[in-house]
Amino acid sequence: MRLKALFQNPWFKFLSNKYVLLLLLFGIWMLFLDSNSWLVHQELNEEIHELEENKAFYVEEIKKDTSILRKLAEPKELERFARETYFMKKENEEVYIIEYKTKHEQE
C-alpha cells in the first residue's frame, strides 16, 4: 500500500525520470568527482588569495629594503648601520653593549 503511494508521488515520478537522473549524476560528478570540480576550484582560489597576500607583503618588504639601501649609499649611514647591527668599532675604541630586559623576559 505504501509502496504504491510512493510510486504515485509527483516528486518520485519527477526524480525517476531518466533525464533528471542523468542531470543529477552529471551535477554530482562535476561538483565533487571531476578533476576540475567545484571543490578543486575553491582550493585553488584560496591558494591564489594566499599568494596575492604574500606578494603584497614581499612588495612592501622590497620597498623597505630599497629605502634602506638608498640610505646606506651615504658613508655616515653605512658606518651607523655597521656599528648598530654588527657592533663594529674604530681602532682604539671601546664598545659596550647594554641589553635591557623587556617585560616578556622578566616573566
mmCIF file of all heavy atoms in Angstrom, residues 13-40:
data_model
loop_
_atom_site.group_PDB
_atom_site.id
_atom_site.type_symbol
_atom_site.label_atom_id
_atom_site.label_comp_id
_atom_site.label_asym_id
_atom_site.label_seq_id
_atom_site.Cartn_x
_atom_site.Cartn_y
_atom_site.Cartn_z
ATOM 1 N N LYS A 13 7.980 10.568 -9.359
ATOM 2 C CA LYS A 13 7.876 10.485 -10.815
ATOM 3 C C LYS A 13 8.883 11.432 -11.472
ATOM 4 O O LYS A 13 9.515 11.082 -12.466
ATOM 5 C CB LYS A 13 6.458 10.827 -11.261
ATOM 6 C CG LYS A 13 5.467 9.729 -11.005
ATOM 7 C CD LYS A 13 4.110 10.095 -11.567
ATOM 8 C CE LYS A 13 3.126 8.947 -11.363
ATOM 9 N NZ LYS A 13 1.834 9.221 -11.964
ATOM 10 N N PHE A 14 9.001 12.629 -10.900
ATOM 11 C CA PHE A 14 9.932 13.602 -11.470
ATOM 12 C C PHE A 14 11.378 13.127 -11.329
ATOM 13 O O PHE A 14 12.160 13.169 -12.280
ATOM 14 C CB PHE A 14 9.748 14.960 -10.784
ATOM 15 C CG PHE A 14 10.733 16.005 -11.233
ATOM 16 C CD1 PHE A 14 10.617 16.591 -12.479
ATOM 17 C CD2 PHE A 14 11.778 16.396 -10.403
ATOM 18 C CE1 PHE A 14 11.521 17.560 -12.895
ATOM 19 C CE2 PHE A 14 12.685 17.348 -10.815
ATOM 20 C CZ PHE A 14 12.563 17.938 -12.064
ATOM 21 N N LEU A 15 11.763 12.676 -10.124
ATOM 22 C CA LEU A 15 13.142 12.262 -9.873
ATOM 23 C C LEU A 15 13.497 10.936 -10.538
ATOM 24 O O LEU A 15 14.677 10.651 -10.744
ATOM 25 C CB LEU A 15 13.398 12.175 -8.371
ATOM 26 C CG LEU A 15 13.394 13.513 -7.632
ATOM 27 C CD1 LEU A 15 13.574 13.287 -6.141
ATOM 28 C CD2 LEU A 15 14.492 14.425 -8.157
ATOM 29 N N SER A 16 12.526 10.132 -10.872
ATOM 30 C CA SER A 16 12.826 8.862 -11.519
ATOM 31 C C SER A 16 12.900 8.994 -13.043
ATOM 32 O O SER A 16 13.225 8.022 -13.725
ATOM 33 C CB SER A 16 11.781 7.813 -11.132
ATOM 34 O OG SER A 16 10.512 8.199 -11.623
ATOM 35 N N ASN A 17 12.657 10.159 -13.554
ATOM 36 C CA ASN A 17 12.809 10.408 -14.989
ATOM 37 C C ASN A 17 14.279 10.221 -15.348
ATOM 38 O O ASN A 17 15.168 10.691 -14.659
ATOM 39 C CB ASN A 17 12.336 11.823 -15.293
ATOM 40 C CG ASN A 17 12.355 12.134 -16.769
ATOM 41 O OD1 ASN A 17 13.132 11.568 -17.520
ATOM 42 N ND2 ASN A 17 11.481 13.037 -17.173
ATOM 43 N N LYS A 18 14.542 9.517 -16.457
ATOM 44 C CA LYS A 18 15.929 9.198 -16.806
ATOM 45 C C LYS A 18 16.747 10.454 -17.097
ATOM 46 O O LYS A 18 17.946 10.502 -16.819
ATOM 47 C CB LYS A 18 15.991 8.218 -17.965
ATOM 48 C CG LYS A 18 15.451 8.728 -19.276
ATOM 49 C CD LYS A 18 15.547 7.646 -20.334
ATOM 50 C CE LYS A 18 14.845 8.110 -21.602
ATOM 51 N NZ LYS A 18 14.880 7.076 -22.627
ATOM 52 N N TYR A 19 16.139 11.496 -17.609
ATOM 53 C CA TYR A 19 16.866 12.726 -17.899
ATOM 54 C C TYR A 19 17.227 13.486 -16.614
ATOM 55 O O TYR A 19 18.315 14.038 -16.489
ATOM 56 C CB TYR A 19 16.070 13.622 -18.842
ATOM 57 C CG TYR A 19 15.830 12.972 -20.180
ATOM 58 C CD1 TYR A 19 14.568 12.522 -20.527
ATOM 59 C CD2 TYR A 19 16.878 12.775 -21.062
ATOM 60 C CE1 TYR A 19 14.347 11.899 -21.746
ATOM 61 C CE2 TYR A 19 16.678 12.154 -22.286
ATOM 62 C CZ TYR A 19 15.409 11.722 -22.619
ATOM 63 O OH TYR A 19 15.207 11.106 -23.815
ATOM 64 N N VAL A 20 16.299 13.460 -15.664
ATOM 65 C CA VAL A 20 16.571 14.101 -14.373
ATOM 66 C C VAL A 20 17.664 13.343 -13.631
ATOM 67 O O VAL A 20 18.582 13.939 -13.056
ATOM 68 C CB VAL A 20 15.285 14.211 -13.530
ATOM 69 C CG1 VAL A 20 15.581 14.707 -12.125
ATOM 70 C CG2 VAL A 20 14.270 15.115 -14.217
ATOM 71 N N LEU A 21 17.607 12.020 -13.661
ATOM 72 C CA LEU A 21 18.644 11.206 -13.020
ATOM 73 C C LEU A 21 19.998 11.463 -13.659
ATOM 74 O O LEU A 21 21.012 11.612 -12.961
ATOM 75 C CB LEU A 21 18.292 9.715 -13.111
ATOM 76 C CG LEU A 21 17.195 9.220 -12.185
ATOM 77 C CD1 LEU A 21 16.861 7.770 -12.497
ATOM 78 C CD2 LEU A 21 17.630 9.379 -10.744
ATOM 79 N N LEU A 22 20.027 11.528 -14.983
ATOM 80 C CA LEU A 22 21.270 11.797 -15.688
ATOM 81 C C LEU A 22 21.814 13.184 -15.336
ATOM 82 O O LEU A 22 23.019 13.356 -15.103
ATOM 83 C CB LEU A 22 21.051 11.671 -17.199
ATOM 84 C CG LEU A 22 22.290 11.770 -18.066
ATOM 85 C CD1 LEU A 22 23.242 10.625 -17.745
ATOM 86 C CD2 LEU A 22 21.911 11.755 -19.527
ATOM 87 N N LEU A 23 20.931 14.158 -15.258
ATOM 88 C CA LEU A 23 21.336 15.518 -14.885
ATOM 89 C C LEU A 23 21.867 15.564 -13.446
ATOM 90 O O LEU A 23 22.886 16.221 -13.177
ATOM 91 C CB LEU A 23 20.165 16.479 -15.048
ATOM 92 C CG LEU A 23 20.459 17.948 -14.809
ATOM 93 C CD1 LEU A 23 21.464 18.453 -15.837
ATOM 94 C CD2 LEU A 23 19.195 18.764 -14.864
ATOM 95 N N LEU A 24 21.231 14.844 -12.533
ATOM 96 C CA LEU A 24 21.707 14.786 -11.150
ATOM 97 C C LEU A 24 23.077 14.121 -11.063
ATOM 98 O O LEU A 24 23.976 14.614 -10.358
ATOM 99 C CB LEU A 24 20.711 14.045 -10.264
ATOM 100 C CG LEU A 24 19.452 14.801 -9.872
ATOM 101 C CD1 LEU A 24 18.500 13.876 -9.129
ATOM 102 C CD2 LEU A 24 19.807 15.995 -9.017
ATOM 103 N N LEU A 25 23.245 13.015 -11.761
ATOM 104 C CA LEU A 25 24.543 12.343 -11.762
ATOM 105 C C LEU A 25 25.627 13.247 -12.355
ATOM 106 O O LEU A 25 26.743 13.316 -11.834
ATOM 107 C CB LEU A 25 24.465 11.022 -12.531
ATOM 108 C CG LEU A 25 23.712 9.897 -11.843
ATOM 109 C CD1 LEU A 25 23.570 8.705 -12.783
ATOM 110 C CD2 LEU A 25 24.427 9.493 -10.574
ATOM 111 N N PHE A 26 25.294 13.916 -13.445
ATOM 112 C CA PHE A 26 26.253 14.835 -14.062
ATOM 113 C C PHE A 26 26.613 15.970 -13.098
ATOM 114 O O PHE A 26 27.793 16.337 -12.960
ATOM 115 C CB PHE A 26 25.671 15.405 -15.356
ATOM 116 C CG PHE A 26 26.561 16.410 -16.013
ATOM 117 C CD1 PHE A 26 27.695 16.001 -16.703
ATOM 118 C CD2 PHE A 26 26.277 17.761 -15.936
ATOM 119 C CE1 PHE A 26 28.520 16.923 -17.316
ATOM 120 C CE2 PHE A 26 27.100 18.693 -16.539
ATOM 121 C CZ PHE A 26 28.223 18.271 -17.231
ATOM 122 N N GLY A 27 25.609 16.513 -12.412
ATOM 123 C CA GLY A 27 25.861 17.594 -11.444
ATOM 124 C C GLY A 27 26.743 17.134 -10.300
ATOM 125 O O GLY A 27 27.684 17.832 -9.904
ATOM 126 N N ILE A 28 26.475 15.967 -9.758
ATOM 127 C CA ILE A 28 27.294 15.422 -8.665
ATOM 128 C C ILE A 28 28.719 15.183 -9.151
ATOM 129 O O ILE A 28 29.692 15.501 -8.459
ATOM 130 C CB ILE A 28 26.650 14.141 -8.101
ATOM 131 C CG1 ILE A 28 25.369 14.490 -7.352
ATOM 132 C CG2 ILE A 28 27.619 13.399 -7.199
ATOM 133 C CD1 ILE A 28 24.538 13.304 -6.949
ATOM 134 N N TRP A 29 28.840 14.639 -10.357
ATOM 135 C CA TRP A 29 30.166 14.379 -10.920
ATOM 136 C C TRP A 29 30.949 15.682 -11.063
ATOM 137 O O TRP A 29 32.109 15.775 -10.671
ATOM 138 C CB TRP A 29 30.036 13.680 -12.275
ATOM 139 C CG TRP A 29 31.352 13.407 -12.905
ATOM 140 C CD1 TRP A 29 32.017 14.206 -13.787
ATOM 141 C CD2 TRP A 29 32.194 12.284 -12.669
ATOM 142 N NE1 TRP A 29 33.211 13.646 -14.130
ATOM 143 C CE2 TRP A 29 33.347 12.458 -13.447
ATOM 144 C CE3 TRP A 29 32.084 11.154 -11.883
ATOM 145 C CZ2 TRP A 29 34.384 11.545 -13.455
ATOM 146 C CZ3 TRP A 29 33.110 10.242 -11.909
ATOM 147 C CH2 TRP A 29 34.242 10.441 -12.681
ATOM 148 N N MET A 30 30.323 16.705 -11.619
ATOM 149 C CA MET A 30 31.022 17.968 -11.864
ATOM 150 C C MET A 30 31.339 18.712 -10.555
ATOM 151 O O MET A 30 32.350 19.400 -10.464
ATOM 152 C CB MET A 30 30.204 18.876 -12.783
ATOM 153 C CG MET A 30 30.084 18.346 -14.194
ATOM 154 S SD MET A 30 31.661 17.973 -14.969
ATOM 155 C CE MET A 30 32.352 19.580 -15.140
ATOM 156 N N LEU A 31 30.475 18.593 -9.562
ATOM 157 C CA LEU A 31 30.706 19.309 -8.307
ATOM 158 C C LEU A 31 31.756 18.649 -7.427
ATOM 159 O O LEU A 31 32.518 19.333 -6.746
ATOM 160 C CB LEU A 31 29.398 19.438 -7.524
ATOM 161 C CG LEU A 31 28.419 20.477 -8.055
ATOM 162 C CD1 LEU A 31 27.125 20.414 -7.257
ATOM 163 C CD2 LEU A 31 29.013 21.869 -7.995
ATOM 164 N N PHE A 32 31.817 17.331 -7.416
ATOM 165 C CA PHE A 32 32.653 16.664 -6.425
ATOM 166 C C PHE A 32 33.710 15.716 -6.994
ATOM 167 O O PHE A 32 34.778 15.570 -6.407
ATOM 168 C CB PHE A 32 31.771 15.874 -5.443
ATOM 169 C CG PHE A 32 30.785 16.723 -4.733
ATOM 170 C CD1 PHE A 32 29.444 16.646 -5.050
ATOM 171 C CD2 PHE A 32 31.185 17.620 -3.765
ATOM 172 C CE1 PHE A 32 28.509 17.436 -4.392
ATOM 173 C CE2 PHE A 32 30.268 18.417 -3.103
ATOM 174 C CZ PHE A 32 28.932 18.328 -3.424
ATOM 175 N N LEU A 33 33.466 15.057 -8.084
ATOM 176 C CA LEU A 33 34.330 13.967 -8.513
ATOM 177 C C LEU A 33 35.294 14.312 -9.639
ATOM 178 O O LEU A 33 36.319 13.670 -9.785
ATOM 179 C CB LEU A 33 33.471 12.761 -8.932
ATOM 180 C CG LEU A 33 32.513 12.252 -7.855
ATOM 181 C CD1 LEU A 33 31.631 11.173 -8.419
ATOM 182 C CD2 LEU A 33 33.278 11.761 -6.649
ATOM 183 N N ASP A 34 35.001 15.278 -10.449
ATOM 184 C CA ASP A 34 35.823 15.606 -11.612
ATOM 185 C C ASP A 34 37.132 16.277 -11.188
ATOM 186 O O ASP A 34 37.233 16.853 -10.106
ATOM 187 C CB ASP A 34 35.035 16.540 -12.535
ATOM 188 C CG ASP A 34 35.686 16.698 -13.882
ATOM 189 O OD1 ASP A 34 36.074 15.668 -14.457
ATOM 190 O OD2 ASP A 34 35.810 17.843 -14.349
ATOM 191 N N SER A 35 38.144 16.199 -12.040
ATOM 192 C CA SER A 35 39.429 16.842 -11.717
ATOM 193 C C SER A 35 39.314 18.363 -11.741
ATOM 194 O O SER A 35 40.151 19.060 -11.173
ATOM 195 C CB SER A 35 40.508 16.379 -12.690
ATOM 196 O OG SER A 35 40.173 16.778 -14.001
ATOM 197 N N ASN A 36 38.301 18.891 -12.398
ATOM 198 C CA ASN A 36 38.043 20.333 -12.401
ATOM 199 C C ASN A 36 36.805 20.664 -11.573
ATOM 200 O O ASN A 36 36.045 21.563 -11.908
ATOM 201 C CB ASN A 36 37.844 20.836 -13.836
ATOM 202 C CG ASN A 36 39.092 20.671 -14.652
ATOM 203 O OD1 ASN A 36 40.186 20.925 -14.172
ATOM 204 N ND2 ASN A 36 38.934 20.224 -15.885
ATOM 205 N N SER A 37 36.614 19.950 -10.490
ATOM 206 C CA SER A 37 35.398 20.090 -9.700
ATOM 207 C C SER A 37 35.365 21.426 -8.956
ATOM 208 O O SER A 37 36.349 22.152 -8.850
ATOM 209 C CB SER A 37 35.284 18.947 -8.693
ATOM 210 O OG SER A 37 36.257 19.099 -7.679
ATOM 211 N N TRP A 38 34.205 21.703 -8.417
ATOM 212 C CA TRP A 38 33.994 22.928 -7.648
ATOM 213 C C TRP A 38 34.910 22.954 -6.424
ATOM 214 O O TRP A 38 35.442 24.003 -6.074
ATOM 215 C CB TRP A 38 32.520 23.000 -7.243
ATOM 216 C CG TRP A 38 32.190 24.191 -6.418
ATOM 217 C CD1 TRP A 38 32.026 25.469 -6.860
ATOM 218 C CD2 TRP A 38 31.999 24.224 -5.018
ATOM 219 N NE1 TRP A 38 31.750 26.291 -5.800
ATOM 220 C CE2 TRP A 38 31.722 25.548 -4.654
ATOM 221 C CE3 TRP A 38 32.034 23.259 -4.020
ATOM 222 C CZ2 TRP A 38 31.473 25.934 -3.355
ATOM 223 C CZ3 TRP A 38 31.794 23.649 -2.718
ATOM 224 C CH2 TRP A 38 31.517 24.965 -2.401
ATOM 225 N N LEU A 39 35.102 21.809 -5.786
ATOM 226 C CA LEU A 39 35.961 21.745 -4.602
ATOM 227 C C LEU A 39 37.406 22.093 -4.947
ATOM 228 O O LEU A 39 38.084 22.819 -4.205
ATOM 229 C CB LEU A 39 35.890 20.348 -3.971
ATOM 230 C CG LEU A 39 34.539 19.925 -3.400
ATOM 231 C CD1 LEU A 39 34.589 18.483 -2.943
ATOM 232 C CD2 LEU A 39 34.136 20.838 -2.268
ATOM 233 N N VAL A 40 37.880 21.595 -6.085
ATOM 234 C CA VAL A 40 39.248 21.901 -6.513
ATOM 235 C C VAL A 40 39.368 23.390 -6.808
ATOM 236 O O VAL A 40 40.357 24.029 -6.441
ATOM 237 C CB VAL A 40 39.627 21.047 -7.752
ATOM 238 C CG1 VAL A 40 40.942 21.501 -8.350
ATOM 239 C CG2 VAL A 40 39.683 19.583 -7.379
#
